[in-house]
Amino acid sequence: MNKILLSLLFTVSLFGAELNWIHNYNKGLALAKKEHKDVYLFIGADACRYCKKFKETTLSKKYVMNKLNADFVPIYLSRDQHKIPDKFERYGAPRHYFLTSDGKIYDEDVGYMSPKRFLSLLKEVKSFK
C-alpha cells in the first residue's frame, strides 16, 4: 500500500508545479464561483516565522500544490499588505480558512502544518461538504 501511495504522489508531483495565489478576497470568490471550486484562504504576516516555514516546507511540495490547485482557489492575504475582511481573524498566523465560493466558512485551522498533516486536512475538509 505504501508503495502505491508513494508512486501516486510521485506521479501527481510531476504536473502543476506552482500555486496560483490570488491576493484579493473578492476576486478569489469570483474565480471560485466561475470554476465551481471552494476557496482555501491563507492569512499570514510578513514577519511570521511559522508562515514562512509553512510556505517553504509544506506549500512548496508539488503534491500539495496540485491538490490545492485541483480542489480550491487559493487566496493568500498578508495582514501587513492586503485588505482582510472583518469576519476573519488576523492574528495567530498562519490561519487557514476553507470557504464555499460565496464566502461561507465551513472549516478553519491555525498554525504550521507538515505536508502530511496539511494534505490530510485538505482531504478531510472536502468531506465536510
Side-chain angles (χ1 to χ4, degrees):
M1 180 68 173
N2 285 342
K3 288 182 182 182
I4 293 170
L5 182 60
L6 287 174
S7 190
L8 176 64
L9 290 176
F10 177 76
T11 302
V12 169
S13 71
L14 294 175
F15 306 101
E18 70 180 64
L19 285 169
N20 303 313
W21 289 112
I22 295 179
H23 301 287
N24 178 293
Y25 179 73
N26 291 324
K27 287 181 182 179
L29 289 183
L31 181 61
K33 283 181 185 176
K34 180 181 174 185
E35 294 186 358
H36 306 286
K37 290 184 177 180
D38 289 339
V39 172
Y40 165 63
L41 172 60
F42 171 27
I43 298 176
D46 295 348
C48 169
R49 71 177 186 217
Y50 292 107
C51 298
K52 181 179 179 184
K53 182 178 179 181
F54 180 67
K55 290 177 195 174
E56 290 176 354
T57 63
T58 301
L59 295 177
S60 66
K61 301 296 184 212
K62 290 179 185 177
Y63 59 90
V64 172
M65 289 185 250
N66 289 333
K67 183 68 174 163
L68 269 174
N69 283 331
D71 295 342
F72 299 92
V73 169
I75 301 174
Y76 174 73
L77 300 177
S78 166
R79 67 175 189 224
D80 303 314
Q81 297 180 36
H82 304 107
K83 168 83 171 106
I84 299 173
D86 291 336
K87 70 178 179 178
F88 301 108
E89 181 61 51
R90 291 165 182 76
Y91 299 98
R95 290 242 172 224
H96 314 276
Y97 289 95
F98 296 89
L99 318 166
T100 62
S101 61
D102 49 347
K104 181 182 174 197
I105 300 168
Y106 64 89
D107 196 37
E108 61 183 277
D109 210 323
V110 64
Y112 166 80
M113 286 179 245
S114 69
K116 182 178 179 180
R117 181 167 179 264
F118 187 65
L119 194 61
S120 177
L121 176 64
L122 292 178
K123 290 175 184 175
E124 182 180 320
V125 297
K126 288 303 286 182
S127 71
F128 291 163
K129 289 200 69 201

